[in-house]
Amino acid sequence: MWFEVKAKFPSVSLLLTLLFFGCGDPIPPAPDAAAPPDYQTAEFSQPGLPGISVTAPESTLTSESGTQVSFAVALDSQPTAAVTLCLASTDDSEGALVIGEDVLVGDGTCPQARLVWQPADWGTPKVVLVEGVDDGEIDGSQFYEITIGPATSEDSDYQGLDPDDLRFRNTDDDRPGVTVQLQGPALTS
């Protein structure tokens, strides 16, 4: 008798064929051959494991001229309750979060910005826009991070999960120079 077990995990599929045959039974066919009549198949699946995936941006370079870059954040499985992540820039004079459809304005818990998933929309990644800020200073390229705080949720599997932060570089558009401004009326002769 043949018994085949298929198990599906988030990133691995497992196929296990168990052979039960007694003395005098013919050698069973290869797994890709036609199965004998008493061949049994069972499939087991495990739901996705809780986790938070951050898709890195194509570029981590912003500029003081307002260049934007984006990255996506997604939940790896359906939570049983809302999941919130706080977002913040470590230097909002160089790089700022753009509030929009996916990135919500901060609240008492998340001062700058937040991402929120409900159990019904868990499968939709949230797109985060980061924009370079002109600080008016000649300071060269400056590094800053977008921090993604630990998840808060009534779902204990998601509570406290803390994805990695992302590091960006904002290029300076200010150049050294001298500006002359006249004080008072101009004299001509």
Side-chain angles (χ1 to χ4, degrees), residues 36-75:
D38 61 352
Y39 183 75
Q40 301 291 320
T41 300
E43 266 192 57
F44 301 94
S45 63
Q46 175 179 344
L49 299 174
I52 300 168
S53 297
V54 178
T55 303
E58 289 182 22
S59 170
T60 58
L61 188 64
T62 59
S63 73
E64 290 189 352
S65 62
T67 303
Q68 291 184 343
V69 296
S70 66
F71 62 93
V73 183
L75 301 184

Side-chain angles (χ1 to χ4, degrees), residues 6-134:
K6 292 181 183 178
K8 294 181 182 175
F9 296 95
S11 61
V12 177
S13 289
L14 172 68
L15 172 62
L16 174 65
T17 302
L18 303 174
L19 303 176
F20 299 99
F21 54 96
C23 208
D25 286 344
I27 296 176
D32 60 345
D38 61 352
Y39 183 75
Q40 301 291 320
T41 300
E43 266 192 57
F44 301 94
S45 63
Q46 175 179 344
L49 299 174
I52 300 168
S53 297
V54 178
T55 303
E58 289 182 22
S59 170
T60 58
L61 188 64
T62 59
S63 73
E64 290 189 352
S65 62
T67 303
Q68 291 184 343
V69 296
S70 66
F71 62 93
V73 183
L75 301 184
D76 295 343
S77 67
Q78 185 173 19
T80 59
V83 176
T84 300
L85 292 174
C86 295
L87 303 173
S89 172
T90 57
D91 186 348
D92 57 8
S93 71
E94 294 292 342
L97 292 157
V98 178
I99 304 300
E101 184 177 335
D102 290 341
V103 180
L104 305 175
V105 69
D107 59 11
T109 307
C110 301
Q112 286 188 20
R114 60 197 165 98
L115 301 174
V116 179
W117 288 266
Q118 299 298 330
D121 72 354
W122 74 272
T124 305
K126 307 288 185 188
V127 177
V128 179
L129 289 175
V130 180
E131 183 174 71
V133 176
D134 188 355

